[in-house]
Amino acid sequence: KAYTLVAANANERVSKDGLALLFQKLGSKITEEEIDELIKELGIDCEGNLEYPTVLKMLVILATRRKKGPSMEDVKVAFSIYDKDESGFITKNEIRCVVFGLGLPIDEIVLEQKLTQCDVNDDKKVSIDEFGKYLDELKESLE
């Protein structure tokens, strides 16, 4: 839903300025240097415009990259990518949709493992607090 703040639909491309606006609308900030660094890191030849799956990748990478772990703003941004129905929870199907949207393969076993990693209270859905803890653990494992 947030993507449509800067593009008419998920099939449209977003400019680098549009990406900065998207982050602002989601309550986070990104500098032009951070955008350029992510584009270079992902090996994207975007000619100034980014497709929806690329924007999702950038949001997830940036949300997990902050030096002291992701801020609550970053967690909210990343969480909103997955919480498609805005229920306040992430379901297995929502994870599947985002992973598919990123063009990544995932099987049911791996999908279930990811859900289990995040779902501390075993209610088969992930709250924003559980998601934030998962991102903190992910950040630590990458260091």
Side-chain angles (χ1 to χ4, degrees), residues 11-37:
N11 295 324
E12 288 194 8
R13 294 173 174 254
V14 172
S15 68
K16 290 193 302 185
D17 290 339
L19 184 63
L21 178 62
L22 174 62
F23 271 85
Q24 182 182 9
K25 295 284 185 185
L26 291 170
S28 191
K29 292 183 176 126
I30 186 170
T31 65
E32 187 172 338
E33 292 80 22
E34 287 174 306
I35 293 171
D36 290 339
E37 181 182 314

Side-chain angles (χ1 to χ4, degrees), residues 98-115:
V98 171
V99 172
F100 180 76
L102 292 172
L104 302 172
I106 190 165
D107 63 33
E108 285 301 310
I109 295 170
V110 173
L111 186 58
E112 192 65 40
Q113 288 171 342
K114 290 296 175 193
L115 182 64

Side-chain angles (χ1 to χ4, degrees), residues 87-129:
S87 65
F89 296 97
I90 300 170
T91 64
K92 183 166 67 170
N93 191 46
E94 288 172 318
I95 296 170
R96 181 185 299 110
C97 289
V98 171
V99 172
F100 180 76
L102 292 172
L104 302 172
I106 190 165
D107 63 33
E108 285 301 310
I109 295 170
V110 173
L111 186 58
E112 192 65 40
Q113 288 171 342
K114 290 296 175 193
L115 182 64
T116 302
Q117 282 178 325
C118 296
D119 184 18
V120 176
N121 65 3
D122 200 30
D123 62 356
K124 303 295 183 206
K125 56 188 178 183
V126 178
S127 69
I128 194 164
D129 291 332

Side-chain angles (χ1 to χ4, degrees), residues 124-138:
K124 303 295 183 206
K125 56 188 178 183
V126 178
S127 69
I128 194 164
D129 291 332
E130 291 170 321
F131 187 72
K133 289 175 187 172
Y134 173 73
L135 290 181
D136 284 337
E137 292 168 8
L138 183 62

